Amino acid sequence: MINNAQQQAVDAAITSRRSIRAFLPTPVARADIEAILDVAARAPSGTNTQPWRVHVLTGAPKERLGDAILAAYADPAQAAQHTEEYHYYPREWVSPFIERRRKVGWDLYALLGLTRDNKAGMAAQHGRNYRFFDAPVGLIFTIDRVMAQGSWLDYGMFLQNIMVAARGRGLDTCPQAAFTQFHRIIAKQLQLPANEMVVCGMALGYADPDRIENTLVTEREPAVSFTRFVE
């Protein structure tokens, strides 16, 4: 049986999860990373396929990956040669999703003092993805190309488990689809086999409490707005 204190602890881990975009340099113990991944691996998966594969980067390997991606990102001609292998976002935006996307973007830029005409500033902020926002741990997630859409649903639950388990240990995360554009660079840097496809990245570490961008709290619709009880 789950008691009230346990329920509150689980709820707090879920509701306190936010995308953190500035981290302290404080190291994360390997034992903690392994424990988080062990807990996350309890995510459900169709017929127990467990489709996830995780590549953990710290120190020099993390820096090398960031350097390689940023070199391409900073050169428009090179960046144009790198495209995502799958569509994370819709090809055509419609309401209410486009309004939500725009709001969170401009809310973040407003905190950072970035105006619409400051393209260089916005590009620099986006580029911080590739340093994992200075988190001490960077995670790259891959999946075997043979796996189908159902396994990607399973993968999402695994990623959520990582983020919640991290919060339970006082750690923070930022899931990052930005890495998918540069999957070829990632494959080369991590020496991925041809059958492995990049799903996303994630920053892991301790949030910097003094950074303004970490005060951003995105809005969520109440359950009543997206739920229908069939009677």
Side-chain angles (χ1 to χ4, degrees):
M1 294 288 293
I2 298 293
N3 61 38
N4 189 57
Q6 290 171 315
Q7 174 198 316
Q8 291 179 355
V10 172
D11 287 354
I14 294 172
T15 58
S16 66
R17 185 218 63 82
R18 291 181 290 125
S19 292
I20 295 300
R21 295 178 176 86
F23 289 82
L24 296 171
T26 308
V28 179
R30 178 167 178 166
D32 287 335
I33 300 171
E34 291 176 344
I36 288 169
L37 295 175
D38 276 335
V39 169
R42 295 307 306 176
S45 62
T47 62
N48 200 31
T49 51
Q50 304 173 63
W52 34 81
R53 183 167 176 81
V54 187
H55 309 265
V56 182
L57 295 93
T58 61
K62 182 171 70 75
E63 294 304 310
R64 286 196 297 269
L65 178 62
D67 289 344
I69 294 178
L70 283 169
Y73 175 73
D75 183 338
Q78 282 194 59
Q81 297 175 23
H82 293 273
T83 57
E84 297 87 350
E85 281 198 279
Y86 72 93
H87 293 283
Y88 181 89
Y89 294 108
R91 300 183 189 186
E92 179 182 352
W93 286 95
V94 298
S95 184
F97 313 113
I98 185 61
E99 290 85 2
R100 292 172 183 167
R101 183 191 193 196
R102 286 172 175 162
K103 185 178 189 313
V104 71
W106 290 120
D107 284 352
L108 173 62
Y109 291 146
L111 285 173
L112 294 168
L114 296 172
T115 58
R116 293 174 185 268
D117 58 344
N118 189 350
K119 304 300 183 185
M122 289 188 286
Q125 174 61 26
H126 183 76
R128 296 190 63 248
N129 274 282
Y130 308 120
R131 295 288 186 199
F132 294 96
F133 296 110
D134 297 321
V137 181
L139 306 173
I140 295 292
F141 301 94
T142 60
I143 190 170
D144 195 300
R145 295 177 185 280
V146 74
M147 304 309 283
Q149 189 171 10
S151 292
W152 287 71
L153 297 175
D154 300 340
Y155 218 124
M157 292 183 277
F158 172 68
L159 295 172
Q160 174 75 357
N161 273 3
I162 290 175
M163 293 183 278
V164 173
R167 286 301 305 131
R169 290 164 173 79
L171 290 156
D172 289 283
T173 55
C174 185
Q176 298 168 274
F179 280 99
T180 61
Q181 178 183 355
F182 298 100
H183 61 90
R184 288 190 286 113
I185 294 175
I186 295 170
K188 181 178 180 180
Q189 288 287 318
L190 303 187
Q191 299 182 336
L192 299 180
N195 64 298
E196 282 192 37
M197 181 178 182
V198 174
V199 174
C200 67
M202 185 183 293
L204 171 68
Y206 296 93
D208 185 339
D210 297 326
R211 293 289 290 270
I212 188 68
E213 55 265 53
N214 288 340
T215 65
L216 176 66
V217 178
T218 56
E219 297 177 358
R220 289 294 191 271
E221 293 291 319
V224 67
S225 72
F226 58 78
T227 305
R228 173 187 174 223
F229 289 91
V230 180
E231 299 177 353

